[in-house]
């Protein structure tokens, strides 16, 4: 893989043609696979700096923009982008307040982050995108499609709910105090336990390994990252997570881990039911961290969705459900 280069300023990934499914090389690429080309761009929105990553490998389809969760950054999706780049460019981003981007005060909510995402789309010269958001990134993605519907060709959400529970809100207030007191190890354990299903819930792939990874990532945060985490919690408390504004009737897919205890399958169904044309399914033997626990399968699902491939009969997922009048019915597959 070529080295990543940093590019300042504007550029264009303008897409004018419909998405065309392309042959997908074996994981990691083959002798005929186009080389993966990666670059990063440093941008400024409303006086706040942020960074995006763009991966390409020759695909000419609609670009995919991924908005990760609060504990993820622009490099968290490299395994998934390898499965997606044969179809088109893949963009990941550290929005203001996250990753290596500038600090974002809690007075700025999800509307501001959706506007920053619009700024990114404009800066890259994108006419239309396939938009994927997970957990907190899902809240931003949903607000984005509500505010900028003409820019979204497809929408996929993972680990998403229509509300933050009172119990989780109380936990965030407690975590805020723990961060202020420097109780990093304790909060890392609490957050890891929150993201992952408790023992005995059901079979979860790579449960122990992913748990260790998440714990180490949170416990190893720098003081600057901890400050951003504390501000993130305050942002969630102060601003609406979901707002019942109109959504466009774009193809949409909502997915949840089979054993997700943070954003349960029923919560995911609720999200799908408020979208005009959404389908819902669960990823088997996973919890809230399904993109990590079954990364190859999750990437396959993403690629299938953005190229309009069948979703029925997948060995790693339940049958798709659609919603009529708020009630689940079999999806189109």
């Amino acid at each position: 893989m070529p080295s990543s280069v940093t590019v300042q300023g504007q550029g264009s990934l303008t897409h004018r043609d419909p998405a065309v499914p392309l042959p997908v090389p074996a994981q990691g690429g083959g002798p005929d696979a186009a080389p993966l080309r990666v670059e990063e761009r440093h941008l400024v929105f409303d006086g706040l700096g942020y960074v995006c990553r763009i991966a390409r490998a020759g695909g000419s389809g609609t670009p995919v923009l991924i908005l990760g969760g609060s504990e993820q950054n622009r490099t968290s999706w490299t395994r998934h982008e390898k499965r997606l780049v044969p179809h088109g460019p893949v963009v990941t981003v550290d929005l203001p307040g996250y990753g290596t981007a500038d600090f974002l005060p809690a007075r700025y909510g999800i509307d501001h982050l959706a506007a920053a995402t619009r700024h990114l789309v404009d800066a890259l010269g994108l006419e239309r995108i396939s938009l994927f958001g997970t957990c907190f990134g899902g809240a931003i993605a949903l607000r984005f499609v509500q505010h900028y519907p003409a820019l979204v060709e497809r929408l996929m959400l993972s680990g998403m709910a229509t509300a933050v529970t009172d119990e989780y809100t109380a936990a965030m207030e407690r975590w805020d105090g723990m961060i202020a007191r420097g109780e990093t190890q304790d909060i890392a354990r609490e957050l890891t336990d929150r993201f992952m299903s408790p023992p005995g819930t059901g079979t979860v792939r790579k449960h122990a390994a992913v748990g260790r990874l998440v714990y180490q990532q949170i416990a190893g945060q720098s003081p600057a990252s901890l400050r951003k985490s504390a501000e993130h919690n305050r942002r969630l408390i102060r601003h609406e997570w979901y707002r019942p504004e109109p959504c466009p009737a774009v193809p949409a897919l909502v997915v949840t881990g089979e054993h997700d205890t943070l954003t349960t399958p029923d919560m995911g169904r609720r999200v799908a039911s408020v979208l005009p044309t959404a389908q819902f399914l669960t990823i088997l033997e996973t919890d809230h961290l399904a993109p990590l626990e079954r990364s190859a399968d999750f990437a396959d699902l993403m690629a299938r969705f953005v190229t309009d491939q069948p979703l029925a009969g997948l060995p790693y997922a339940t049958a798709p459900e659609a919603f009529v009048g708020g009630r689940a019915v079999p999806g189109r597959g």
Side-chain angles (χ1 to χ4, degrees):
M1 182 187 302
S3 300
S4 173
V5 297
T6 300
V7 179
Q8 302 282 348
Q10 307 266 335
S12 178
L13 290 173
T14 303
H15 169 67
R16 301 184 184 277
D17 301 317
V20 178
L22 299 174
V24 179
Q27 189 71 17
D32 298 325
L36 183 65
R37 295 175 290 121
V38 178
E39 63 178 286
E40 292 193 342
R41 298 185 184 177
H42 294 252
L43 302 166
V44 178
F45 172 69
D46 200 17
L48 298 164
Y50 67 99
V51 188
C52 74
R53 169 188 169 98
I54 307 154
R56 305 179 183 85
S60 59
T62 304
V64 176
L65 172 58
I66 298 176
L67 301 178
S70 57
E71 299 298 329
Q72 295 173 323
N73 59 41
R74 67 188 184 278
T75 65
S76 298
W77 299 90
T78 54
R79 293 183 181 179
H80 304 78
E81 74 184 13
K82 290 177 183 177
R83 184 65 175 77
L84 294 168
V85 288
H87 309 296
V90 177
V91 180
T92 53
V93 59
D94 290 352
L95 288 172
Y98 301 90
T100 61
D102 286 350
F103 179 82
L104 182 69
R107 66 178 180 273
Y108 295 101
I110 292 177
D111 285 342
H112 186 273
L113 290 164
T117 305
R118 168 64 190 267
H119 178 267
L120 169 64
V121 171
D122 288 346
L124 298 184
L126 307 181
E127 295 181 357
R128 299 266 285 176
I129 57 172
S130 291
L131 182 60
F132 170 77
T134 184
C135 196
F136 183 64
I140 301 170
L142 186 50
R143 194 69 56 85
F144 182 93
V145 76
Q146 289 173 325
H147 289 189
Y148 314 106
L151 296 175
V152 180
E153 188 168 291
R154 291 176 178 273
L155 173 68
M156 181 174 171
L157 303 173
S158 170
M160 178 60 178
T162 56
V164 178
T165 65
D166 292 341
E167 190 271 340
Y168 194 81
T169 298
M172 285 190 292
E173 293 173 343
R174 184 176 69 257
W175 295 334
D176 191 39
M178 293 170 70
I179 291 173
R181 294 189 297 271
E183 298 171 4
T184 308
Q185 305 297 320
D186 291 339
I187 195 171
R189 174 48 55 202
E190 279 206 31
L191 280 170
T192 301
D193 291 344
R194 182 74 57 165
F195 288 140
M196 307 200 69
S197 61
T201 304
T203 301
V204 173
R205 300 278 184 98
K206 302 180 182 178
H207 190 276
V210 171
R212 288 192 297 270
L213 176 66
V214 172
Y215 175 84
Q216 292 166 0
Q217 178 180 331
I218 298 171
Q221 290 185 98
S222 67
S225 294
L226 286 171
R227 180 170 176 249
K228 289 177 181 176
S229 294
E231 203 71 1
H232 168 76
N233 292 337
R234 297 184 192 112
R235 190 177 348 274
L236 292 185
I237 292 170
R238 295 183 187 181
H239 299 276
E240 294 171 294
W241 173 264
Y242 163 73
R243 189 182 301 149
E245 297 177 343
C247 289
V250 298
L253 177 65
V254 180
V255 304
T256 305
E258 179 186 17
H259 303 298
D260 190 340
T261 53
L262 179 59
T263 53
T264 65
D266 282 345
M267 291 179 180
R269 289 186 178 92
R270 171 60 181 161
V271 173
S273 73
V274 302
L275 300 175
T277 56
Q279 297 193 95
F280 170 82
L281 57 77
T282 62
I283 310 297
L284 300 175
E285 299 185 353
T286 65
D287 55 25
H288 190 67
L289 299 176
L292 286 176
E293 292 154 350
R294 299 193 72 153
S295 58
D297 294 328
F298 200 94
D300 178 72
L301 180 64
M302 295 173 73
R304 284 176 175 273
F305 177 67
V306 300
T307 56
D308 199 28
Q309 300 301 305
L311 303 180
L314 300 177
Y316 53 80
T318 57
E321 304 169 27
F323 295 84
V324 178
R327 299 183 64 182
V329 299
R332 65 178 181 84

